[in-house]
Short mmCIF file of all heavy atoms in Angstrom, two decimals:
data_model
loop_
_atom_site.label_atom_id
_atom_site.label_comp_id
_atom_site.label_asym_id
_atom_site.label_seq_id
_atom_site.Cartn_x
_atom_site.Cartn_y
_atom_site.Cartn_z
N ARG M 210 -17.17 2.09 8.68
CA ARG M 210 -16.10 1.98 7.68
C ARG M 210 -14.75 1.80 8.34
O ARG M 210 -14.62 1.98 9.62
CB ARG M 210 -15.96 3.41 7.04
CG ARG M 210 -17.13 3.74 6.19
CD ARG M 210 -16.98 5.18 5.66
NE ARG M 210 -18.07 5.63 4.92
CZ ARG M 210 -17.99 6.29 3.77
NH1 ARG M 210 -16.85 6.58 3.32
NH2 ARG M 210 -19.10 6.69 3.10
N GLY M 211 -13.77 1.32 7.53
CA GLY M 211 -12.41 1.18 8.14
C GLY M 211 -11.69 2.52 8.23
O GLY M 211 -12.09 3.49 7.64
N THR M 212 -10.64 2.50 9.05
CA THR M 212 -9.89 3.73 9.32
C THR M 212 -8.40 3.44 8.98
O THR M 212 -7.97 2.32 8.96
CB THR M 212 -9.90 4.23 10.73
OG1 THR M 212 -9.30 3.19 11.59
CG2 THR M 212 -11.46 4.35 11.20
N PRO M 213 -7.65 4.53 8.72
CA PRO M 213 -6.23 4.39 8.54
C PRO M 213 -5.58 3.62 9.73
O PRO M 213 -4.67 2.80 9.47
CB PRO M 213 -5.72 5.81 8.46
CG PRO M 213 -6.80 6.58 7.82
CD PRO M 213 -8.02 5.96 8.47
N ALA M 214 -6.11 3.76 10.96
CA ALA M 214 -5.50 3.07 12.09
C ALA M 214 -5.75 1.56 11.98
O ALA M 214 -4.89 0.79 12.42
CB ALA M 214 -6.16 3.56 13.40
N ASP M 215 -6.93 1.17 11.45
CA ASP M 215 -7.15 -0.30 11.24
C ASP M 215 -6.09 -0.83 10.31
O ASP M 215 -5.59 -1.92 10.55
CB ASP M 215 -8.49 -0.52 10.56
CG ASP M 215 -9.66 -0.13 11.54
OD1 ASP M 215 -9.62 -0.44 12.71
OD2 ASP M 215 -10.66 0.45 10.99
N VAL M 216 -5.74 -0.18 9.24
CA VAL M 216 -4.85 -0.65 8.24
C VAL M 216 -3.41 -0.66 8.88
O VAL M 216 -2.62 -1.55 8.74
CB VAL M 216 -4.87 0.25 6.97
CG1 VAL M 216 -3.92 -0.41 5.88
CG2 VAL M 216 -6.28 0.46 6.48
N ALA M 217 -3.14 0.45 9.54
CA ALA M 217 -1.72 0.56 10.11
C ALA M 217 -1.46 -0.50 11.12
O ALA M 217 -0.30 -0.98 11.17
CB ALA M 217 -1.63 1.96 10.76
N ALA M 218 -2.47 -0.92 11.93
CA ALA M 218 -2.18 -1.93 12.89
C ALA M 218 -1.75 -3.24 12.22
O ALA M 218 -0.85 -3.96 12.68
CB ALA M 218 -3.42 -2.16 13.81
N LEU M 219 -2.45 -3.59 11.14
CA LEU M 219 -2.20 -4.83 10.42
C LEU M 219 -0.77 -4.69 9.78
O LEU M 219 -0.04 -5.71 9.74
CB LEU M 219 -3.30 -5.10 9.41
CG LEU M 219 -3.06 -6.37 8.54
CD1 LEU M 219 -2.84 -7.66 9.38
CD2 LEU M 219 -4.33 -6.59 7.56
N CYS M 220 -0.52 -3.51 9.23
CA CYS M 220 0.82 -3.38 8.67
C CYS M 220 1.88 -3.50 9.67
O CYS M 220 3.01 -4.08 9.39
CB CYS M 220 0.99 -1.96 7.99
SG CYS M 220 0.02 -1.78 6.50
N ALA M 221 1.74 -3.03 10.85
CA ALA M 221 2.75 -3.16 11.93
C ALA M 221 3.01 -4.63 12.19
O ALA M 221 4.11 -5.05 12.40
CB ALA M 221 2.31 -2.45 13.24
N TYR M 222 1.96 -5.44 12.24
CA TYR M 222 2.18 -6.88 12.47
C TYR M 222 2.92 -7.53 11.20
O TYR M 222 3.89 -8.23 11.40
CB TYR M 222 0.79 -7.58 12.61
CG TYR M 222 0.83 -9.11 12.47
CD1 TYR M 222 1.52 -9.86 13.37
CD2 TYR M 222 0.14 -9.74 11.42
CE1 TYR M 222 1.63 -11.19 13.22
CE2 TYR M 222 0.17 -11.07 11.28
CZ TYR M 222 0.93 -11.84 12.19
OH TYR M 222 0.99 -13.22 12.07
N LEU M 223 2.45 -7.22 10.05
CA LEU M 223 3.05 -7.77 8.85
C LEU M 223 4.48 -7.32 8.62
O LEU M 223 5.24 -7.95 7.93
CB LEU M 223 2.25 -7.46 7.61
CG LEU M 223 0.83 -8.14 7.52
CD1 LEU M 223 0.06 -7.60 6.37
CD2 LEU M 223 0.96 -9.62 7.51
N ALA M 224 4.88 -6.17 9.27
CA ALA M 224 6.26 -5.65 9.14
C ALA M 224 7.16 -6.28 10.14
O ALA M 224 8.38 -6.15 10.03
CB ALA M 224 6.19 -4.17 9.30
N ALA M 225 6.65 -6.92 11.15
CA ALA M 225 7.42 -7.36 12.27
C ALA M 225 8.03 -8.74 12.13
O ALA M 225 7.62 -9.56 11.31
CB ALA M 225 6.55 -7.40 13.56
N ASP M 226 8.98 -9.08 13.01
CA ASP M 226 9.55 -10.46 13.05
C ASP M 226 8.54 -11.48 13.26
O ASP M 226 8.54 -12.61 12.68
CB ASP M 226 10.58 -10.53 14.16
CG ASP M 226 11.94 -9.95 13.76
OD1 ASP M 226 12.33 -9.98 12.63
OD2 ASP M 226 12.57 -9.30 14.64
N GLU M 227 7.48 -11.21 14.07
CA GLU M 227 6.52 -12.14 14.53
C GLU M 227 5.63 -12.67 13.40
O GLU M 227 4.99 -13.70 13.53
CB GLU M 227 5.54 -11.51 15.62
CG GLU M 227 6.18 -11.31 16.94
CD GLU M 227 6.96 -9.97 17.08
OE1 GLU M 227 7.20 -9.34 16.11
OE2 GLU M 227 7.26 -9.54 18.25
#
Side-chain angles (χ1 to χ4, degrees):
R210 295 175 182 222
T212 65
D215 292 320
V216 187
L219 181 53
C220 285
Y222 167 62
L223 292 175
D226 280 324
E227 288 87 344

